[in-house]
Amino acid sequence: MYIKASDGSFDGEIDLKIDPAIPETLTITVTDQTKHEQKIINLNVIDDGMTMTDDEKLLLTMTIGDDNTILFSNPEDESAITIAFDQAAYTIHFTNVSPEKSNAASIVLDPQKNLLSLTIDGNEIFSAIFDKANAELNVNIMESSNVLQFVDAEKAITGSLEMLQSTVKLSFENAENKIAVSIGSSLDDLMEMFALSVDKEAKSFNIIAFGSPIFQAAVDSVNRTVTIIDEKGQESVLTEDDLNQMIEEMSKSAVPGSDSKPGTVKFQ
């Protein structure tokens, strides 16, 4: 399998091979033509896990325990990572031990309580609990408490965000095909900050910020053009060739030296 990195850091091949005489071993050969190097890594399946070796040493050992644990150990730096699954508590525990330090973390995904949480070294970093009765999502991040409420009648999501000391409302207006974000000190003091609306008949969409349009685009299928109006009211008309040239330039900028062909725009 040939691979070429866009930044030029790797240009070579990766080959996978299993010798029928040693079916428990997968040999990975990495040939880097840029550095003129070749490295061979062997993944060996053992009774209770797997080992990873190269031509010189043991790189990694994975051991699956009978107590719902997986142990990853690196003999070179004497580090080890343990993953333990506690099915009764719907919890996954992670422990990282090295000569310099040790860390512990746990993730809880409890369907009975509709709870998701992350704890690191005994400190709860994140938790989210969904209250079905009140259609609320309580999210705690570090020491801030935030509440999101789903209001079906208004087709909206409101949030009391302690971290921002503000109230946020995300609303969906079907009649105008519009999505809007409003922020204020309370639900009675909201200001529309951002809105996106789509006009299906006109084949256009508008982006509005603080009540003023900042971007508008409309597709003209007959003349095969796209008309764009920026925040200053300046209008530009782009043809298929203009759009394809923009896509090509963006592709070259994003992936320097890439030989891949970008997609093209064609009006139906």
Side-chain angles (χ1 to χ4, degrees), residues 11 44-45 57 64 71 100 124 133-134 170 191 259 261:
D11 183 1
N44 309 289
V45 177
K57 58 183 179 296
I64 302 175
L71 172 66
E100 294 80 17
E124 186 176 84
N134 297 313
L170 175 64
M191 176 180 179
D259 297 327
K261 299 288 186 181

Side-chain angles (χ1 to χ4, degrees), residues 198-259:
V198 178
D199 188 331
K200 295 181 180 180
E201 294 184 0
K203 296 183 180 179
S204 67
F205 71 90
N206 302 320
I207 299 177
I208 300 171
F210 300 98
S212 300
I214 60 173
F215 184 84
Q216 298 173 274
V219 177
D220 186 340
S221 301
V222 177
N223 295 313
R224 309 173 78 83
T225 60
V226 175
T227 300
I228 295 175
I229 303 175
D230 62 19
E231 72 278 5
K232 297 179 181 179
Q234 297 178 346
E235 182 177 303
S236 302
V237 180
L238 304 177
T239 64
E240 283 183 358
D241 292 338
D242 294 331
L243 293 170
N244 289 323
Q245 185 177 355
M246 289 174 60
I247 293 174
E248 184 175 356
E249 291 176 354
M250 291 173 62
S251 175
K252 290 180 179 179
S253 175
V255 187
S258 174
D259 297 327

Side-chain angles (χ1 to χ4, degrees), residues 64 141 150 158 165 237 267:
I64 302 175
I141 302 175
F150 301 86
T158 62
Q165 296 184 344
V237 180
F267 295 103

Side-chain angles (χ1 to χ4, degrees), residues 8-264:
S9 59
F10 181 83
D11 183 1
E13 294 183 352
I14 298 178
D15 295 322
L16 308 179
K17 181 181 179 181
I18 296 178
D19 188 339
I22 317 175
E24 68 273 9
T25 299
L26 171 65
T27 300
I28 305 173
T29 303
V30 181
T31 304
D32 191 339
Q33 298 176 1
T34 303
K35 300 178 181 178
H36 304 287
E37 294 177 351
Q38 186 178 76
K39 190 168 186 177
I40 298 177
I41 298 174
N42 294 308
L43 299 180
N44 309 289
V45 177
I46 56 179
D47 290 340
D48 56 354
M50 182 187 70
T51 63
M52 178 187 294
T53 61
D54 62 9
D55 293 334
E56 301 176 354
K57 58 183 179 296
L58 176 64
L59 302 175
L60 180 71
T61 299
M62 182 187 77
T63 305
I64 302 175
D66 296 331
D67 53 350
N68 293 323
T69 61
I70 301 176
L71 172 66
F72 296 90
S73 58
N74 184 338
E76 185 173 6
D77 61 8
E78 300 180 356
S79 65
I81 298 175
T82 302
I83 303 175
F85 300 90
D86 187 343
Q87 296 180 348
Y90 303 103
T91 303
I92 304 174
H93 299 282
F94 301 87
T95 305
N96 180 19
V97 178
S98 68
E100 294 80 17
K101 62 179 181 178
S102 63
N103 303 98
S106 62
I107 296 176
V108 178
L109 182 56
D110 190 338
Q112 304 294 330
K113 298 179 180 178
N114 297 313
L115 166 66
L116 171 65
S117 70
L118 169 64
T119 301
I120 298 178
D121 292 333
N123 299 312
E124 186 176 84
I125 305 300
F126 169 88
S127 70
I129 303 176
F130 182 64
D131 183 346
K132 290 184 178 180
N134 297 313
E136 289 183 350
L137 179 64
N138 296 276
V139 180
N140 298 315
I141 302 175
M142 302 297 285
E143 297 181 356
S144 68
S145 178
N146 310 278
V147 180
L148 300 178
Q149 185 172 35
F150 301 86
V151 186
D152 290 338
E154 299 180 16
K155 297 188 183 301
I157 301 173
T158 62
S160 176
L161 308 182
E162 184 178 348
M163 64 175 64
L164 300 177
Q165 296 184 344
S166 60
T167 299
V168 178
K169 182 177 181 179
L170 175 64
S171 57
F172 306 86
E173 301 178 15
N174 291 337
E176 300 180 24
N177 292 316
K178 177 181 175 182
I179 300 175
V181 178
S182 304
I183 300 178
S185 58
S186 67
L187 286 175
D188 298 325
D189 182 32
L190 292 175
M191 176 180 179
E192 187 175 280
M193 307 291 287
F194 173 86
L196 169 65
S197 62
V198 178
D199 188 331
K200 295 181 180 180
E201 294 184 0
K203 296 183 180 179
S204 67
F205 71 90
N206 302 320
I207 299 177
I208 300 171
F210 300 98
S212 300
I214 60 173
F215 184 84
Q216 298 173 274
V219 177
D220 186 340
S221 301
V222 177
N223 295 313
R224 309 173 78 83
T225 60
V226 175
T227 300
I228 295 175
I229 303 175
D230 62 19
E231 72 278 5
K232 297 179 181 179
Q234 297 178 346
E235 182 177 303
S236 302
V237 180
L238 304 177
T239 64
E240 283 183 358
D241 292 338
D242 294 331
L243 293 170
N244 289 323
Q245 185 177 355
M246 289 174 60
I247 293 174
E248 184 175 356
E249 291 176 354
M250 291 173 62
S251 175
K252 290 180 179 179
S253 175
V255 187
S258 174
D259 297 327
S260 62
K261 299 288 186 181
T264 58

